[in-house]
């Protein structure tokens, strides 16, 4: 049978390199950009294992589950790890980072998640980057959830390793990701005897065989469907305009938060301060006695396509996520989510003001 997804012509090195160039423009970076053939956990782990070793003293900021994972990888590399954990309903501050450097002056690596879609917070990377730069540490950033929803500027912020994925605010595929790498980060990898080599996790292999070779020959056969989807995703963002795309996400977050505050029924934003809430997703705390996963199931019964999910793990009891990213960063997705949640709360006998919630959401859309 003939199918548009089958029997594709091989992807050339030139086409692959052109997609990398578009990612670099998206990030407004002059650093090397390497597209990795896998979900973003691939470059996230590869970047840590490439740069961290027994001589590394890492400040690992934990504002959600991914920060915990990074700490595990760093320890597995033999690094000395100082965990800086903050409650998941808030964000870390530059002052907390500065205090950590004062207490541990040997810190030479900082790992941070920009926006945590799992917990709904976002961190002030520009301010934190200034502190990291003052102390000369290598700065590693997970911008998988934030890219496309808010500015991500590795060069301006002094980020040495910036990992992105396309599956959230960019509205693209999950099976391909990218990392921008500074010259300092490449030098750290080259000096790290524990850096992976001849491995799928090896960024140095890409540096030596792809970047240094003028991007003429790929290391392995690229994932054609994912690369073509990423290219289409970048084309769509370029056509709409990155500022317009990020503005949509900011509006979706503001409208969702305003709508929930007006809705009542005991539902409230999980991230307490609006300035610390991520535009990629809004997390909500359920009222006492209401299990989040059960409320989400009831809400989705009316429309399974709504961008609603319960929190992961233990948070499934108390947290709801409104994933208003990508194609769902729209007034319709916000209205539908508020309507379904309001109806589910009302079925439980809780007092809600759905009309007021929808009006507040409409007024908050910028």
């Amino acid at each position: 049978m003939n199918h548009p997804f089958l029997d594709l012509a091989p992807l050339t090195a030139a086409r692959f390199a052109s997609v990398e160039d578009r990612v670099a423009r998206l990030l407004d970076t002059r650093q090397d950009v390497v597209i990795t053939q896998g979900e973003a956990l691939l470059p996230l782990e590869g970047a840590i294992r490439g740069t961290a070793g027994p001589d590394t003293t890492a400040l690992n900021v934990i504002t959600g589950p991914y920060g915990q994972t990074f700490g595990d990888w760093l320890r597995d590399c033999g690094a000395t790890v100082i965990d800086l954990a903050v409650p998941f309903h808030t964000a870390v501050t530059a002052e907390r980072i500065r205090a950590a450097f004062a207490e541990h002056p040997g810190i030479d690596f900082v790992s941070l998640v920009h926006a945590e879609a799992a917990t709904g917070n976002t961190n002030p990377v520009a301010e934190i980057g200034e502190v990291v730069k003052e102390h000369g540490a290598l700065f590693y950033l997970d911008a998988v959830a934030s890219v496309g929803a808010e500015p991500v500027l590795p060069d301006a912020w002094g980020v040495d390793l910036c990992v992105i994925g396309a599956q959230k605010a960019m509205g693209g595929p999950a099976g391909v990701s990218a990392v921008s790498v500074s010259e300092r980060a490449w030098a750290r990898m080259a000096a790290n005897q524990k850096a992976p080599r001849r491995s799928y996790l090896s960024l140095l292999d890409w540096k030596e065989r792809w970047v240094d070779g003028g991007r003429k020959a790929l290391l392995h056969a690229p994932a054609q469907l994912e690369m073509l989807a990423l290219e289409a995703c970048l084309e769509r963002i370029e056509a709409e305009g990155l500022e317009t795309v990020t503005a949509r996400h900011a509006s979706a977050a503001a409208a969702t938060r305003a709508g929930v505050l007006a809705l009542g029924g005991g539902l409230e934003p999980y991230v307490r301060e609006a300035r610390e809430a991520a535009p990629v997703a809004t997390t909500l705390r359920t009222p006492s006695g209401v299990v989040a996963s059960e409320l989400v199931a009831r809400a989705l019964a009316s429309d399974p396509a709504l961008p609603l999910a319960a929190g992961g793990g233990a948070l499934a009891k108390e947290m709801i996520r409104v994933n208003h990213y990508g194609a769902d960063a729209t007034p319709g997705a916000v209205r539908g989510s508020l309507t379904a949640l309001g109806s589910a709360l009302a079925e439980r006998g809780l007092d809600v003001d759905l009309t007021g919630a929808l009006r507040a959401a409409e007024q908050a859309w910028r």
Side-chain angles (χ1 to χ4, degrees):
M1 62 177 288
N2 294 323
H3 194 284
F5 292 164
L6 299 177
D7 301 315
L8 295 173
L11 198 69
T12 65
R15 185 81 170 272
F16 194 102
S18 73
V19 180
E20 288 184 334
D21 292 341
R22 292 179 111 146
V23 173
R25 289 196 294 272
L26 177 72
L27 300 177
D28 194 20
T29 182
R30 297 177 64 86
Q31 297 178 4
D32 291 324
V33 169
V34 175
I35 292 179
T36 48
Q37 304 290 283
E39 199 272 337
L41 281 173
L42 172 63
L44 285 169
E45 182 174 358
I48 281 182
R49 295 196 181 277
T51 52
D55 296 333
T56 302
T57 300
L59 175 64
N60 179 51
V61 183
I62 302 175
T63 57
Y66 282 99
Q68 295 171 328
T69 297
F70 300 160
D72 292 339
W73 288 339
L74 286 162
R75 289 183 177 87
D76 192 49
C77 291
T80 299
V81 181
I82 296 122
D83 285 326
L84 172 55
V86 301
F88 288 177
H89 63 256
T90 188
V92 73
T93 64
E95 289 72 23
R96 293 287 301 274
I97 303 295
R98 192 181 300 279
F101 272 106
E103 186 175 355
H104 305 279
I107 292 170
D108 60 4
F109 184 100
V110 175
S111 52
L112 176 72
V113 177
H114 187 184
E116 289 268 12
T119 50
N121 53 36
T122 191
N123 293 301
V125 182
E127 299 171 18
I128 292 169
E130 289 294 327
V131 178
V132 176
K133 185 177 180 180
E134 289 172 14
H135 292 83
L138 207 71
F139 194 8
Y140 162 101
L141 184 70
D142 171 356
V144 174
S146 56
V147 65
E150 54 188 304
V152 176
L153 301 167
D155 292 11
W157 297 343
V159 176
D160 295 287
L161 295 154
C162 182
V163 176
I164 67 166
Q167 68 266 35
K168 289 189 167 63
M170 290 177 66
V176 64
S177 46
V179 54
S180 66
V181 188
S182 72
E183 289 300 325
R184 291 198 324 145
W186 284 132
R188 180 78 70 95
M189 288 185 215
N192 181 13
Q193 295 183 357
K194 284 186 165 288
R197 303 307 304 269
R198 295 170 296 282
S199 163
Y200 210 60
L201 286 172
S202 176
L203 292 178
L204 271 179
D205 287 355
W206 281 96
K207 163 69 170 169
E208 295 176 359
R209 297 170 56 191
W210 171 247
V211 177
D212 292 347
R215 300 191 299 179
K216 302 296 185 183
L218 289 161
L219 274 65
H220 47 69
Q224 292 161 293
L225 287 175
E226 286 78 5
M227 286 296 295
L228 294 172
L230 175 59
E231 184 179 52
C233 161
L234 291 162
E235 289 175 350
R236 185 171 59 186
I237 291 173
E238 291 166 359
E240 184 177 356
L242 181 58
E243 289 187 3
T244 303
V245 175
T246 56
R248 271 198 299 109
H249 285 83
S251 291
T256 302
R257 190 177 188 90
V260 166
L261 290 171
L263 180 64
L267 204 62
E268 60 185 21
Y270 188 86
V271 178
R272 297 172 185 174
E273 300 291 335
R275 68 178 185 277
E276 297 177 343
V280 70
T282 296
T283 49
L284 309 172
R285 190 184 299 276
T286 53
S288 176
V290 176
V291 177
S293 58
E294 295 175 359
L295 190 69
V296 167
R298 187 59 196 154
L300 289 176
S302 63
D303 184 356
L306 289 171
L308 297 172
L315 294 175
K317 294 182 179 180
E318 64 177 25
M319 179 192 285
I320 292 172
R321 291 168 48 191
V322 184
N323 295 315
H324 44 65
Y325 54 71
D328 289 316
T330 63
V334 173
R335 285 195 303 268
S337 298
L338 290 171
T339 299
L341 290 172
S343 298
L345 288 166
E347 287 181 9
R348 296 184 61 93
L350 296 168
D351 187 20
V352 298
D353 179 6
L354 183 55
T355 300
L358 295 177
R359 184 187 310 115
E362 182 179 0
Q363 293 172 348
W365 191 277
R366 303 163 188 167

